[in-house]
Amino acid sequence: MSTARPLTATDADLQPTRSFQGLILTLQRFWAAQGCVILQPYDMEVGAGTFHPATTLRALGPKPWKAAYVQPSRRPKDGRYGENPNRLQHYYQFQVILKPNPPNLQELYLDSLKAIGVDLGLHDIRFVEDDWESPTLGAWGLGWECWCDGMEVSQFTYFQQVAGFECAPVAGELTYGLERLAMYVQGVENVYDLNFNGREGDEKVTYGDVFLQAEQEYSRHNFEAADTEMLFRQFRDAEAACRAYLQAGEPGPGGNDARHRMAQPAYDQCIKASHVFNLLDARGVISVTERQSYILRVRELAKACGEAWRRTEAGGLVGETAAP
Amino acid sequence: MPDLLLELFSEEIPARMQRRAAEDLRKLVTDALVERGFLYEGAKAFATPRRLALHVAGLPPRGQDVREERKGPRVGAPEGAVQGFLKSAGLASLDEARIVSDPKKGEFYVAVIERPGRETIEVLAEILPAIVRSFPWPKSMRWGAASREPGSLRWVRPLHSIVASFGPETETPEVVPFSVDGIEAGLTTRGHRFMAPQPIEVRRFADYLPALERAFVVLDSERRKDIILHDARDLAFARGLDLVEDEGLLEEVAGLVEWPVTLMGAFDERFLEIPPEVIRATIRANQKCFVLRGAPGPDGRERLANAFILVSNLVASDGGAAIVAGNERVVRARLSDAAFFWETDRKVRLEDRLPKLASIVFHERLGTQAARVERIAALARALAPVVGADAALAERAARLAKADLVTEMVGEFPELQGLMGRYYAAEQGEDPAVAAAIEEHYKPLGPSDRVPSEPVSVAVALADKLDTLVGFWAIGETPTGSKDPYALRRAALGVIRLILASEARLPLRAQIAAAAAGHGQEASGLAGDLLAFFADRLKVYLRDQGARHDLIDAVFALPGQDDLLMVVRRVEALGRFLDTEDGKNLLAGYRRAANILRIEEKKDGRAYDSAPDPALLSLPEESALADALRSAGAEAGRAVAAEDFEGAMRALSILRAPVDAFFDKVTVNADAAALRANRLALLNALRVATREVADFSRIGGEAR
C-alpha cells in the first residue's frame, strides 16, 4: 500500500503527553538508561507489580538487581462496569526496582517525571508519608506516596522486609500509576478518554476503545459470575501445588549441591492463590473472619517460596554450589 | 561563648514525627552535655520536612580543669609500695611527686594530678554520633548499599548529610569532627528541593537561618504555621469568605512544606448539596486542604463556600495556576465520590442495614454489633423515664444508632460516624430527637466535649457507655496504668458528665446490674470494682473542677454512695459549710472530740459507742450539748433524707455553741469513771451526728 506511513512513528505521536503508549515508552527508555533490564509483564494475573517475581523474589538476597517493567494489575473489587472515570479492575502499573537503592533515587524519580513532561518549576511535587505493607507477601517498607498538585501519582518504597525476610541490601521500589499519570499529562478527566496511540482523527485509539468493553465484562464476571466453587477448588489446588513443588525442589540427600531447584514454579502457585482469593473476595463469599485466615495462608506460601529462593543461585546462595 | 549548630539533612520526614523529633534531639544533646558537666545558656531545635536542626548557645570552649592530690607512701617505704603509688598516680618517677611532712606521720609523698578540662568540641564529637545512631524515631529504616551489613545506620528515611559546627561568634567555627556510617559532618547543606537545590556553606546558627531563608527554607515550623494561617485568612478575606481554622491540619501541612505558598481553588457549587462535614472531611483527609465558610444560607444556617485553601511548596513560574488546576481536579474527583456515596446511601433505610451489623464483630468476646445494638436498645428504653425521655423514641434511636457504620460514607470516612446517621435519619423522616440522638450518643468524647441535653440523646448515650463499661468489666479488660485501649475512662467520665448535666437520679448499682443482665452476667462480681472506678473518675473530674478531693473522700466514705448527683450535691454543700465560721468551728470541735476519743478508746481498749445516759449529765453544758445533738442529729437526718444537704449542714451548725461551751467548761476525763464514760459517749454522739452528712475524719488540712 502506498499510503503506509513510515515504520517509525512520528516523535510527536509518542510524546508522553500525547499518548498512553508514549508515556510507557518514555519511562522504559528513561530507566533503561539507568541500567535497568526492561522486562515484559509477568504472564500471570497479579494484584500489583510487586507480585512479579522480578520484584518479590529478586528483592531477596544480596545480589544487585535493576529492573523496570509494565505490569497489568487486577483488582477485581475495583470494577465499576466501566461507569466510574477513575476506577478500573484492570490497570497498568509501571514498576522499577533497584537493589541496592542508589543514594540519589529521589532525584532519579524526579528526573523521570521531567522526562514524561512534568515541569518541576510549575508543579508541586511532594513526598507524603505512606508506609507500605503487603500482608499477603509478608512484606513492608517505608516511603511515601508522591503527589503532583495534590494527586497521588506514584508510590516510593524502601523495602525493609519481603516474604518475612530482612532485605539486605534494601531495594528501592517505584510504582507509577500509569493511567493517572497519563490523565494528568494529557489533561483528561475520564480514563476512557485517554489517547492511547497518539494519533488523531480516524487513527486515534482511546483507552476506552481498548478497555471499556473489557471493564464491563470483567466487572460482571468478578461480581456476578465467577464460579466460586471452582475458585475455592483452585485456591486449594494452588496451595497444595505450591507446597508440592517446594518439596520437589529440595536438594536430594547426599548431593553436594544445596540449591533449591523449583522456587519459581512454586511461587507461581502462590501468585495464583492470591489472585483467586481476590476474586472470591470480590464475589463476597469470604466472611470477615475467614478473610484473615486466607490472607495468612497466602502469606505462608509467600514465606516458604522466599525461603526457597534464598537457597537458589539468583537468591544469593554461595558456598557448596559447585556441580558434582 | 561558643555555639553549636547541628543539622541532620534527610529525605522527607513524616509530618507527624517532626515536632517530637526536634524536641528529642534538643533533649538528648543537652542532657548528654549537662551529664558531662557542660552547661549552656539556651537550646532550640527545629524541624522541616527535610531536616532536623539544633542550636545550643553559650557553651564553654572547654570543660573545667580537675586538680587532685593523692597521698602516697612515707619516704623510705618499700619499693613495692612506691611502684604501686607511681603507677596509680601516673608518675614516671618519684621526682614528680612532692614530699610533705606531717608532725605525726613524718614525711610522705604526694602526687598532684592535674587533668585539664576536655575541649567541648571533642566531647561533642563523642556525643553526637551516638545520638544519631540511637535516635528514638517511632519507625526507622535501613537503606542503600550499607544495608547489606547488619547493624547499619537506621534513620526515619535516608540520611544524607550532617552539619556540625562549633565555635565563638567572632571566630571561624570549627567542624565537629565525626562521621556516622560514612557521612562526615561538615558545613554544607542544601536549600529548597526545587527552588535552591545547590549546596550552601554555613558557619553558625546566625548565618544558617538567613542562608536557609535565601534558599527558600523557613526553618521554624511555628513561623511556617503563621505564614500559612495569615495568608489563608487574607486570601479568604479578599473573597469575602471565612477560613475554617483547623489546628491539626495546620500542623500537618506546615510539616509538608519548607516554603509555604498558600493558594485558593474552587469546586462546582452543586457539591454544596453534600453535608458540609463531608466536604470538609473529604478535602481535609485526602487533599490536606482547608475549607471556607461563605455567607449564611437562606435558612440562616452556616454554609461552606465552594472554595478551598491549599498550601503548596513552590513559587511556581505561572503563579500557581497549574497547581491550583491540578488540585481542583482531584478535589472534584473526590467530591464526586462523596456525592455518589451521599446519593446511594440514602437509597437504603437505616433499619434495613441492621442485618449487616450481625456480621461485624464488636469484640470477639462481646459478640457482634447487632447483639450490642439489642443490648443498648433495651437499656435505653429502661433509662428513658429516668432522664425524661420517651421510651419508644429512645429505643428507636438506639436501634438505629450504629446503622451508619455500614454505609459507604462512614466506610470511607470513619470520623463521620454518628453524624451521617443523623443526616440519613433526618432524610428518612425520623423524629428529630431520634436523629439527634444518633449523632449525640457518642458524646461527650472527652472532658471538654459538649454534653448532649436532649433527653433521648442522654438515654442512648448513657446506655451505650454503660453497656461498654459493663461488657469490658465482665471480660476483665479493664484499664491498667496508661493502657486503656477501649477508652473506658472516657466512657466513665461521659456517664458522670451526662448524669450531672441532666441532673438524673441514677443509682449506678441498679444500672450496672441491668447492663450486666444484657451481657448474661451477674453484676455481683463486677459492681463493686466498677463503682470504685466511677468514684475514681468522679474524683478526677471534680478535682479538675476545683473541688477538694478530701471532701469527695469524706462523702464516698459513707455507705451506699452510688448516686453520683447526690454525691456531688453533698460535696458542694459540705464545701460551702466548711467555708463558714460555723463550719470551721464545728470541724475543729469534731477533731478535738475525735482525738480525745481515739486516745481514750485506745487506752481503755474499748469503744464508747453507746448513747449517753441522760441521768449522768451533771453540768448544764453537758445537758445542752446532749439536747443539741439529739435535735441536730435528727434534723440533719431528716434533711439528708429529703436530699436537702444545705439544710443538713445548717442543722449541724447549731452544734457550734454547745460544743464550744462543752469544751470550755467540762472536764471530759472526770475522776468518776461513770461520769467520764458518759462524757466520752457524748463526744461519740457528736461523731455520729456529723456522719449524717460526711465522714469528717476524711477531711484534711485546715479548712481553707
Side-chain angles (χ1 to χ4, degrees):
Chain A
M1 298 259 290
S2 58
T3 55
R5 290 170 59 136
L7 271 178
T8 50
T10 63
D11 284 350
D13 291 345
L14 295 184
Q15 284 305 303
T17 49
R18 185 143 158 205
S19 68
F20 189 63
Q21 64 205 35
L23 176 69
I24 293 173
L25 292 169
T26 307
L27 284 172
Q28 287 185 338
R29 294 191 70 87
F30 178 90
W31 288 105
Q34 306 303 326
C36 289
V37 293
I38 303 300
L39 299 175
Q40 300 306 315
Y42 202 55
D43 57 347
M44 292 186 67
E45 300 136 311
V46 293
T50 309
F51 277 85
H52 195 309
T55 292
T56 310
L57 295 180
R58 295 276 178 175
L60 290 169
K63 291 197 167 179
W65 175 249
K66 292 185 194 177
Y69 53 90
V70 175
Q71 182 61 50
S73 303
R74 302 222 191 193
R75 304 265 168 100
K77 256 184 156 169
D78 284 351
R80 292 293 182 271
Y81 295 84
E83 285 165 13
N84 184 303
N86 297 301
R87 264 187 220 258
L88 303 163
Q89 58 82 41
H90 170 285
Y91 66 103
Y92 285 126
Q93 288 187 342
F94 190 87
Q95 174 89 0
V96 180
I97 174 134
L98 300 169
K99 180 175 88 170
N101 71 275
N104 62 340
L105 186 54
Q106 276 189 315
E107 279 68 40
L108 289 177
Y109 169 70
L110 293 171
D111 285 345
S112 76
L113 291 185
K114 273 189 238 170
I116 58 174
V118 178
D119 180 348
L120 301 184
L122 212 51
H123 295 285
D124 184 30
I125 308 296
R126 227 82 72 70
F127 294 90
V128 180
E129 176 191 18
D130 187 35
D131 299 341
W132 172 81
E133 192 181 0
S134 167
T136 38
L137 285 178
W140 69 275
L142 298 191
W144 310 273
E145 39 182 61
C146 307
W147 285 20
C148 176
D149 301 337
M151 179 172 65
E152 184 195 342
V153 290
S154 310
Q155 284 277 339
F156 190 130
T157 307
Y158 291 106
F159 279 167
Q160 302 294 301
Q161 214 178 67
V162 170
F165 294 99
E166 292 284 305
C167 296
V170 164
E173 181 207 47
L174 302 174
T175 304
Y176 301 76
L178 285 175
E179 284 82 356
R180 273 195 194 185
L181 261 179
M183 285 165 73
Y184 200 76
V185 296
Q186 288 190 27
V188 163
E189 296 272 322
N190 186 324
V191 66
Y192 298 110
D193 294 338
L194 281 175
N195 188 330
F196 209 108
N197 64 349
R199 300 293 174 95
E200 293 302 330
D202 288 351
E203 292 194 318
K204 174 175 168 179
V205 177
T206 66
Y207 195 89
D209 293 335
V210 182
F211 285 121
L212 180 57
Q213 184 185 326
E215 281 299 314
Q216 293 161 347
E217 292 185 2
Y218 278 103
S219 293
R220 214 163 288 137
H221 164 265
N222 299 342
F223 293 124
E224 302 165 30
D227 181 341
T228 56
E229 234 175 83
M230 174 194 76
L231 290 169
F232 276 122
R233 194 169 60 237
Q234 284 181 348
F235 186 92
R236 287 191 301 271
D237 286 351
E239 188 181 36
C242 179
R243 301 237 174 256
Y245 301 162
L246 283 172
Q247 187 55 45
E250 287 294 337
N256 58 355
D257 184 346
R259 283 178 299 181
H260 194 280
R261 298 143 207 267
M262 244 194 290
Q264 294 175 85
Y267 179 65
D268 283 352
Q269 298 303 316
C270 168
I271 294 178
K272 189 166 182 75
S274 173
H275 177 65
V276 167
F277 161 70
N278 288 340
L279 281 171
L280 286 166
D281 200 24
R283 286 282 275 128
V285 292
I286 293 184
S287 75
V288 183
T289 33
E290 280 175 321
R291 211 169 170 276
Q292 198 48 37
S293 98
Y294 273 95
I295 289 173
L296 219 68
R297 281 161 76 179
V298 177
R299 176 157 75 220
E300 287 313 311
L301 298 182
K303 280 184 170 177
C305 294
E307 192 278 325
W309 167 263
R310 281 158 50 93
R311 288 185 286 124
T312 67
E313 194 178 325
L317 184 72
V318 286
E320 300 188 9
T321 55
Chain B
M1 295 274 266
D3 287 7
L4 166 71
L5 166 65
L6 175 68
E7 184 204 64
L8 301 157
F9 181 81
S10 68
E11 297 177 12
E12 276 76 358
I13 306 166
R16 65 187 170 92
M17 299 179 188
Q18 290 168 18
R19 182 172 292 274
R20 177 67 193 272
E23 184 48 31
D24 283 344
L25 181 64
R26 187 190 62 76
K27 190 165 182 342
L28 288 168
V29 173
T30 54
D31 281 0
L33 283 165
V34 170
E35 194 180 294
R36 289 163 179 77
F38 292 82
L39 301 182
Y40 60 97
E41 281 163 9
K44 190 158 188 288
F46 306 89
T48 78
R50 294 215 288 168
R51 61 199 89 218
L52 294 182
L54 173 67
H55 175 218
V56 183
L59 279 164
R62 44 189 294 218
Q64 301 258 311
D65 294 346
V66 180
R67 188 171 185 280
E68 185 193 333
E69 288 196 355
R70 190 172 298 177
K71 250 184 197 174
R74 62 183 166 73
V75 174
E79 185 60 17
V82 170
Q83 286 306 324
F85 166 61
L86 291 177
K87 197 171 170 202
S88 75
L91 302 183
S93 76
L94 281 176
D95 298 343
E96 293 172 17
R98 281 196 302 151
I99 295 171
V100 176
S101 38
D102 183 291
K104 281 184 198 153
K105 293 183 188 162
E107 293 192 319
F108 58 90
Y109 294 106
V110 169
V112 179
I113 305 166
E114 283 189 336
R115 271 198 308 269
R118 293 181 64 196
E119 297 284 335
T120 307
I121 195 166
E122 213 178 274
V123 173
L124 285 169
E126 240 169 57
I127 291 173
L128 298 181
I131 288 173
V132 171
R133 277 202 197 87
S134 59
F135 200 79
W137 291 108
K139 252 185 188 177
S140 64
M141 56 166 278
R142 301 165 297 117
W143 66 92
S147 59
R148 203 182 296 272
E149 304 302 326
S152 70
L153 178 62
R154 302 184 71 91
W155 199 247
V156 63
R157 293 294 184 274
L159 179 66
H160 282 280
S161 63
I162 299 174
V163 168
S165 90
F166 180 75
E169 222 163 286
T170 47
E171 292 163 31
T172 308
E174 286 179 73
V175 174
V176 180
F178 72 94
S179 72
V180 184
D181 264 34
I183 304 169
E184 289 278 348
L187 297 175
T188 308
T189 184
R190 282 172 192 278
H192 189 276
R193 185 186 276 288
F194 301 106
M195 294 190 282
Q198 316 77 11
I200 306 171
E201 294 299 313
V202 293
R203 304 206 158 274
R204 59 178 68 83
F205 188 70
D207 68 47
Y208 171 72
L209 203 63
L212 285 184
E213 294 261 338
R214 282 193 300 277
F216 300 98
V217 174
V218 179
L219 183 64
D220 190 341
S221 69
E222 291 304 319
R223 255 203 74 213
R224 293 196 301 275
K225 283 167 70 172
D226 271 356
I227 293 170
I228 294 168
L229 194 58
H230 283 103
D231 289 357
R233 283 180 185 152
D234 286 354
L235 278 174
F237 182 74
R239 291 269 304 273
L241 305 174
D242 205 10
L243 179 73
V244 177
E245 298 195 7
D246 185 332
E247 175 60 28
L249 180 60
L250 181 61
E251 171 84 14
E252 183 179 10
V253 169
L256 289 171
V257 294
E258 292 203 306
W259 191 260
V261 176
T262 307
L263 299 164
M264 187 184 288
F267 54 83
D268 198 325
E269 212 157 335
R270 78 187 158 91
F271 289 127
L272 292 177
E273 285 165 18
I274 310 171
E277 294 88 347
V278 174
I279 295 179
R280 183 176 173 193
T282 305
I283 290 184
R284 180 191 203 279
N286 296 310
Q287 294 310 116
K288 307 196 196 301
C289 294
F290 295 87
V291 291
L292 299 159
R293 255 188 299 267
D299 54 355
R301 278 171 60 181
E302 192 177 279
R303 267 168 64 97
L304 289 184
N306 62 324
F308 61 93
I309 296 280
L310 72 101
V311 181
S312 76
N313 189 35
L314 190 76
V315 181
S317 52
D318 64 349
I323 296 173
V324 169
N327 275 276
E328 285 177 342
R329 277 168 50 129
V330 189
V331 164
R332 187 155 59 235
R334 295 293 192 174
L335 288 179
S336 300
D337 279 349
F340 176 76
F341 296 150
W342 173 238
E343 214 43 55
T344 49
D345 278 349
R346 285 184 296 166
K347 288 181 185 158
V348 182
R349 292 182 62 85
L350 288 172
E351 59 266 35
D352 295 337
R353 296 185 179 278
L354 296 181
K356 257 200 162 168
L357 293 178
S359 64
I360 300 176
V361 175
F362 167 60
H363 180 280
E364 55 176 5
R365 292 172 62 198
L366 295 176
T368 66
Q369 290 282 18
R372 182 174 170 224
V373 165
E374 280 306 312
R375 293 194 302 266
I376 296 173
L379 274 183
R381 189 179 179 91
L383 278 165
V386 185
V387 298
D390 180 278
L393 290 182
E395 184 180 347
R396 174 80 180 158
R399 226 170 260 295
L400 300 183
K402 309 290 181 189
D404 67 351
L405 294 179
V406 290
T407 60
E408 300 264 8
M409 193 72 89
V410 174
E412 189 74 14
F413 303 108
E415 71 269 29
L416 295 182
Q417 66 178 15
L419 182 75
M420 290 323 297
R422 178 186 195 149
Y423 274 111
Y424 295 140
E427 289 280 325
Q428 70 180 40
E430 296 294 332
D431 188 290
V434 171
I438 292 174
E439 177 185 10
E440 295 182 333
H441 85 280
Y442 289 107
K443 289 177 177 293
L445 284 173
S448 54
D449 193 25
R450 192 176 63 81
V451 182
S453 55
E454 160 65 43
V456 176
S457 301
V458 174
V460 185
L462 281 170
D464 184 35
K465 291 169 180 64
L466 285 168
D467 175 70
T468 300
L469 283 162
V470 169
F472 282 106
W473 242 263
I475 60 171
E477 290 277 354
T478 57
T480 51
S482 62
K483 285 210 184 75
D484 183 12
Y486 305 108
L488 300 179
R489 288 192 182 104
R490 193 172 79 183
L493 176 63
V495 170
I496 290 167
R497 293 187 64 207
L498 282 161
I499 287 176
L500 298 185
S502 64
E503 307 198 332
R505 298 300 308 280
L506 207 67
L508 284 175
R509 207 169 272 280
Q511 297 309 322
I512 291 170
H519 284 279
Q521 295 273 335
E522 291 283 332
S524 52
L526 56 90
D529 197 40
L530 185 49
L531 274 175
F533 183 70
F534 271 113
D536 265 357
R537 291 295 101 196
L538 180 65
K539 240 190 278 184
V540 171
Y541 173 71
L542 291 178
R543 204 168 48 207
D544 290 348
Q545 304 285 306
R548 285 169 51 185
H549 65 92
D550 57 333
L551 301 191
I552 305 165
D553 282 338
V555 172
F556 263 118
L558 301 179
Q561 295 300 314
D562 71 338
D563 185 331
L564 300 183
L565 186 64
M566 290 303 109
V567 169
V568 171
R569 293 266 163 87
R570 201 185 276 247
V571 168
E572 287 165 356
L574 184 59
R576 279 194 293 272
F577 179 55
L578 292 176
D579 278 346
T580 66
E581 278 308 302
D582 284 347
K584 283 178 194 145
N585 272 298
L586 181 65
L587 178 60
Y590 164 85
R591 286 201 175 129
R592 202 162 156 192
N595 275 337
I596 294 170
L597 277 168
R598 195 183 65 239
I599 293 163
E600 302 308 318
E601 287 183 338
K602 191 172 172 200
K603 196 158 59 185
D604 301 349
R606 55 160 289 202
Y608 290 95
D609 51 4
S610 52
D613 179 354
L616 289 171
L617 301 170
S618 58
L619 296 173
E621 287 80 7
E622 284 180 87
S623 305
L625 179 58
D627 289 347
L629 281 171
R630 211 163 22 247
S631 63
E635 179 57 31
R638 267 195 301 278
V640 166
E643 296 167 2
D644 174 10
F645 300 110
E646 302 289 346
M649 302 295 164
R650 234 177 3 254
L652 289 187
S653 69
I654 65 151
L655 289 172
R656 178 192 168 179
V659 167
D660 286 355
F662 177 86
F663 281 123
D664 239 17
K665 297 283 190 284
V666 180
T667 308
V668 175
N669 284 318
D671 293 335
L675 217 53
R676 172 173 172 269
N678 202 49
R679 287 174 181 171
L680 287 170
L682 202 53
L683 291 184
N684 181 62
L686 172 62
R687 188 162 61 177
V688 171
T690 57
R691 275 188 75 87
E692 289 291 345
V693 296
D695 182 347
F696 274 43
S697 72
R698 303 288 185 116
I699 300 173
E702 292 300 306
R704 275 183 290 188

